[in-house]
Amino acid sequence: MENSRDARFNAVATRLGHSFDGEIRVGGHYAPVVRHGAELYISGQVPRVDQTVVVTGRVGTDVTLLQAQTAAQICVMRGLALLRQTLGSLDQIERVLRMTVYVQCSQDFTQLSEVADGASDILHEILGEAGVHTRTSVGVFQLPKNASVELDLVAAAKTTAG
């Protein structure tokens, strides 16, 4: 069990210094996760820990690349926490299909893919090859709560036990 995806998730959470076990609140009339058959759609996640968005501001002026990568890591951990809550275990994920990463950035910041790498690396670390996904990274003018990064995910659940 120590090499399970859930154990790897817990190890990453410890390394990041945050718990992702609490409730992930919704601030409107939408669902944090929608399941349609084997596909699971995860709503946009910002780098919120408890009630605080921990990385805010514009990447390239207020926020460094390293801080933005950490923000992306926190975002994807929130997404994985929602998948774990929904499926009971990250071992029930067949594959992450798609991730879109939005970076609130300065006009001349072009390292959007490098920001997204922070999240992609976590998916691969925890899920192995099942974490390899298609991806788009986009620079935007503003994000909710002044978050530096927001991302959403599409994943597929295993259709049979095992």
Side-chain angles (χ1 to χ4, degrees):
M1 193 61 157
E2 64 218 19
N3 201 25
S4 73
R5 292 172 175 175
D6 294 318
R8 291 192 296 264
F9 175 91
N10 291 334
V12 170
T14 298
R15 185 175 76 227
L16 291 175
H18 300 295
S19 171
F20 298 93
D21 292 331
E23 176 188 6
I24 294 181
R25 294 185 186 191
V26 174
H29 297 286
Y30 66 93
V33 180
V34 171
R35 186 170 185 166
H36 183 74
E39 291 183 350
L40 296 111
Y41 297 83
I42 306 299
S43 290
Q45 299 298 309
V46 297
R48 184 187 318 264
V49 176
D50 296 320
Q51 300 305 310
T52 305
V53 178
V54 296
V55 184
T56 59
R58 199 165 299 286
V59 181
T61 54
D62 311 315
V63 175
T64 67
L65 173 60
L66 184 59
Q67 291 169 318
Q69 289 171 327
T70 299
Q73 292 171 343
I74 293 168
C75 294
V76 81
M77 289 293 285
R78 286 174 52 89
L80 287 170
L82 286 165
L83 287 168
R84 185 167 72 168
Q85 289 171 8
T86 301
L87 298 172
S89 170
L90 294 177
D91 292 324
Q92 294 305 307
I93 296 172
E94 182 73 30
R95 177 133 202 177
V96 175
L97 303 172
R98 178 147 187 79
M99 178 173 68
T100 306
V101 179
Y102 304 92
V103 181
Q104 179 190 181
C105 61
S106 64
Q107 174 177 320
D108 58 346
F109 184 81
T110 60
Q111 294 178 291
L112 304 166
S113 291
E114 289 84 348
V115 172
D117 285 343
S120 293
D121 292 347
I122 293 290
L123 288 173
H124 188 261
E125 179 178 350
I126 293 172
L127 303 175
E129 287 303 306
V132 178
H133 51 277
T134 63
R135 180 179 90 183
T136 300
S137 50
V138 180
V140 299
F141 180 72
Q142 189 62 267
L143 289 171
K145 311 294 184 209
N146 197 30
S148 297
V149 178
E150 181 175 13
L151 64 77
D152 61 30
L153 296 169
V154 179
K158 293 180 180 178
T159 55
T160 59

